[in-house]
Amino acid sequence: MVDLKHSDRIDKKKKCVELVSNAKINLALDVLGKYEDGYHEVRMVMQLLELHDKVGVGIIYDGKPGISISGNKPYLPKDSRNLAYKAAMLMLDLFPEHKDDSIRIGIKKNIPVAAGLAGGSGNAAAVILALNHLWDTKMSLADMIEVSKPLGSDVPFLVMGTAATNPCLGLSEEKLAATCCEAVGKGDEIRPLPRFCSYVVLSKPAICVSTPNVYKALKIDEIEEHPDIDELIEGLIEKNHFKINKNMANALENVTLKEYSVVKYTKNKMKNLSYGMPVLMSGSGPTIYGIYNNKHKAEKVMAYMKELNDETYFTKTL
């Protein structure tokens, strides 16, 4: 396993790099239509959080080519079920001259899995950025965002965000490096936005929700609340919390809250504790989050929600 004692570090002697891989929330998620290939047309605003995994990637030239994954959680897949593994395979397909390398990936998980927080997507993004650096491929950040699209709609934003939060890669000052973005189309066409500043409480019920199943069950004409994303983006640019807060909504709640009573209960419980501050679901769920201007208030909400759901966290936006 690659040493994960220190994040955001490159060890040139050992040919390895260790990166932080951040969680994300959806400040807004709207579903506008459906494409002929079955994918949905979406418009979203996504924001990175301080909560993060650590991903170490090392290259060893030992005559035993292949990809190996290790981690701190027993449920972590060690094969192509893991997006980080798929990301390494993608990079090997792009750069076959490295087919004889032994790629070792170590993942220290802190982000809840299957939670709507894109933890796996962030791990995949970190692997792409790490191998690009270690192999000195000369791919630009725009190139890496583009090649990451087959891995999933969240991965391009996590490439953008991981570049911004790991200055050791030398990409954090690039125009496309950002911790907040608008995503349109199938969710993988992205543009950077000004960051949103807030304390955040996350609370994940002890269930998993299938994103494909949620989209499959969604009836677009029955969506009860469509966010005004244009006004939300104006709020981000103007740092106007009123415009941001009133336009935070997630169309997928139309399905998840109806089908999973524990998710609805978690949201209602957090809303009752939050005195009018926005509370909504991230992605397809099941994680519910609330945003707070006051750190003490956020910590109090976190303590109450921890009694309901073990996987409850206090964090903040980046």
Side-chain angles (χ1 to χ4, degrees):
M1 180 174 176
V2 176
D3 177 25
L4 293 171
K5 291 181 181 178
H6 305 287
S7 63
D8 189 27
R9 185 186 70 187
I10 294 173
D11 190 329
K12 295 180 180 178
K13 292 181 180 178
K14 293 183 179 179
K15 196 73 172 175
C16 66
V17 59
E18 296 172 341
L19 305 177
V20 296
S21 165
N22 300 83
K24 66 85 186 171
I25 52 173
N26 295 87
L27 300 182
L29 193 164
D30 201 7
V31 182
L32 307 174
K34 195 171 183 179
Y35 295 108
E36 291 183 0
D37 61 6
Y39 284 92
H40 286 75
E41 180 186 2
V42 298
R43 191 179 183 199
M44 304 183 287
V45 175
M46 294 186 282
Q47 169 67 54
L48 284 195
L49 301 177
E50 188 177 75
L51 178 68
H52 63 271
D53 296 338
K54 293 180 181 179
V55 180
V57 180
I59 305 296
I60 297 176
Y61 307 98
D62 58 1
K64 299 176 182 179
I67 303 163
S68 62
I69 292 184
S70 57
N72 64 327
K73 301 293 184 181
Y75 54 73
L76 189 72
K78 307 295 195 300
D79 52 25
S80 59
R81 293 171 296 164
N82 191 312
L83 272 179
Y85 189 101
K86 289 183 178 180
M89 290 177 62
L90 181 150
M91 291 293 283
L92 283 171
D93 287 342
L94 289 173
F95 301 98
E97 63 269 28
H98 295 285
K99 62 182 175 61
D100 293 328
D101 290 4
S102 174
I103 301 171
R104 296 187 182 179
I105 301 169
I107 302 174
K108 183 178 180 181
K109 294 296 294 183
N110 297 304
I111 302 168
V113 300
L117 301 172
S121 295
N123 298 164
V127 169
I128 290 172
L129 287 157
L131 290 176
N132 174 71
H133 186 90
L134 294 171
W135 288 341
D136 194 21
T137 72
K138 309 300 184 186
M139 276 201 298
S140 67
L141 183 53
D143 292 335
M144 287 183 278
I145 289 169
E146 186 64 31
V147 302
S148 74
K149 290 180 179 181
L151 296 173
S153 59
D154 286 336
V155 182
F157 169 54
L158 272 298
V159 171
M160 171 188 284
T162 305
T165 59
N166 290 273
C168 66
L169 296 171
L171 300 169
S172 58
E173 299 302 317
E174 285 204 18
K175 185 177 180 181
L176 285 174
T179 60
C180 186
C181 87
E182 178 190 17
V184 299
K186 295 178 181 179
D188 56 6
E189 300 296 330
I190 56 176
R191 71 179 180 101
L193 293 173
R195 61 174 288 223
F196 173 58
C197 298
S198 179
Y199 298 106
V200 179
V201 174
L202 305 167
S203 191
K204 177 187 178 288
I207 62 167
C208 295
V209 172
S210 165
T211 298
N213 288 348
V214 170
Y215 274 103
K216 185 177 180 180
L218 181 68
K219 294 184 171 85
I220 296 172
D221 58 350
E222 294 181 6
I223 294 174
E224 297 170 359
E225 186 178 10
H226 289 277
D228 185 340
I229 291 180
D230 287 329
E231 187 174 45
L232 191 155
I233 291 172
E234 284 179 13
L236 289 170
I237 294 168
E238 299 167 3
K239 302 190 183 306
N240 183 324
H241 277 239
F242 175 76
K243 286 184 178 181
I244 297 168
N245 293 358
K246 78 170 189 171
N247 290 297
M248 292 176 66
N250 183 342
L252 298 184
E253 289 186 4
N254 232 46
V255 175
T256 305
L257 296 189
K258 290 176 181 176
E259 295 195 1
Y260 300 91
S261 59
V262 67
V263 182
K264 184 175 183 179
Y265 182 80
T266 295
K267 180 176 180 181
N268 289 340
K269 178 72 170 178
M270 193 179 289
K271 283 184 73 172
N272 290 339
L273 294 167
S274 298
Y275 300 103
M277 294 300 291
V279 173
L280 67 156
M281 186 176 77
S282 185
S284 59
T287 302
I288 299 295
Y289 75 88
I291 65 165
Y292 307 91
N293 298 326
N294 183 281
K295 181 180 180 181
H296 178 66
K297 175 62 181 174
E299 290 174 336
K300 283 184 67 176
V301 172
M302 189 273 292
Y304 281 117
M305 295 304 299
K306 187 77 172 175
E307 296 177 4
L308 177 64
N309 297 319
D310 285 339
E311 289 190 288
T312 296
Y313 306 87
F314 168 82
T315 184
K316 61 183 179 180
T317 59
L318 289 175

